[in-house]
Amino acid sequence: MLKAQARPVHLYMEANPNPNSLKFVANFMLVEDGVSFDFPDSESTDNSLLAKELFNFAAVQRVFIASNFVTVTKSDEVEWPEIQTIIRDHIKQYLETGQKAVQATFEKDPLFDENDSEIVKKIKGILDEYIRPAVEQDGGAIVFHSFQDGIVKVLLQGSCSGCPSSTVTLKAGIQNLLTRMLPEVKEVQAEGI
């Protein structure tokens, strides 16, 4: 078995609109671009030892991994200055061992499905090109869920889940963009929040 190659790791922290989330940004890609992994609890961490370890901290309520960052959502009972350095150091030490942040491989692009209708392909394309980069900037992701009767349903992940400004982002940003670009779209709703 090949031993993981250690590497120099530089991490910096970035605030985002959700006061309970903090984004820990690495100097290299942790997962493939455009792919994200949301861990809402410790039971969902089968494919990420890093996420599993982060849930060992009592204050950690959610872990999200995408591109070159890990977003950690904490409980209300603790303030970031109390735990941010400990969390950052743990992520840094984990990544320095050369282990992968997520142990998952894809046979095909998980975003696109050749069985999608033309309108669904257009919706996913707009979400991927226009929305995903902006939302990742804030430490989260918005993933296509379904389209039916003019309503696009999306899943909010990472810092977007439970964020006070996510409804504004959803309605003023995403819904406005999609309804303007695609007349078939009448409304955007979030699933599971």
Side-chain angles (χ1 to χ4, degrees):
M1 186 162 137
L2 234 56
K3 190 171 182 284
Q5 190 69 19
R7 64 164 77 192
V9 176
H10 303 287
L11 276 183
Y12 68 89
M13 296 176 283
E14 237 177 52
N16 59 67
N18 184 346
N20 284 335
S21 291
L22 195 58
K23 185 175 168 184
F24 298 87
V25 184
N27 58 319
F28 54 89
M29 294 297 281
L30 303 177
V31 296
E32 288 180 49
D33 193 33
V35 177
S36 61
F37 297 89
D38 193 30
F39 304 101
D41 52 43
S42 60
E43 290 75 40
S44 64
T45 60
D46 287 347
N47 64 348
S48 177
L49 181 59
L50 174 59
K52 185 181 290 298
E53 289 180 4
L54 289 171
F55 276 108
N56 288 330
F57 295 98
V60 173
Q61 290 195 320
R62 185 178 211 113
V63 176
F64 177 76
I65 301 172
S67 300
N68 66 333
F69 66 90
V70 177
T71 298
V72 175
T73 304
K74 67 165 185 65
S75 64
D76 289 328
E77 290 76 43
V78 68
E79 296 301 319
W80 276 117
E82 299 171 47
I83 61 167
Q84 66 189 24
T85 303
I86 297 164
I87 302 260
R88 184 196 63 211
D89 291 349
H90 187 84
I91 295 169
K92 184 178 188 312
Q93 288 167 1
Y94 177 92
L95 295 174
E96 282 174 340
T97 67
Q99 295 181 82
K100 290 183 173 188
V102 179
Q103 292 76 29
T105 55
F106 297 102
E107 304 276 319
K108 60 184 181 121
D109 187 340
L111 179 63
F112 295 99
D113 182 343
E114 62 274 357
N115 298 321
D116 285 341
S117 67
E118 280 309 306
I119 185 68
V120 167
K121 287 178 184 174
K122 288 177 184 175
I123 292 167
K124 286 182 174 182
I126 291 168
L127 289 174
D128 188 52
E129 186 176 346
Y130 297 100
I131 308 298
R132 182 181 56 82
V135 174
E136 279 187 0
Q137 198 72 38
D138 286 340
I142 294 181
V143 179
F144 176 83
H145 178 270
S146 63
F147 175 71
Q148 187 174 357
D149 301 326
I151 299 171
V152 174
K153 291 189 178 180
V154 295
L155 302 172
L156 301 177
Q157 298 178 329
S159 65
C160 296
S161 181
C163 177
S165 62
S166 64
T167 305
V168 174
T169 300
L170 195 67
K171 296 297 179 186
I174 299 162
Q175 182 171 291
N176 282 351
L177 181 68
L178 283 173
T179 55
R180 199 174 67 241
M181 294 179 83
L182 300 170
E184 298 91 339
V185 174
K186 304 298 178 221
E187 186 181 358
V188 177
Q189 298 175 355
E191 280 287 295
I193 58 166

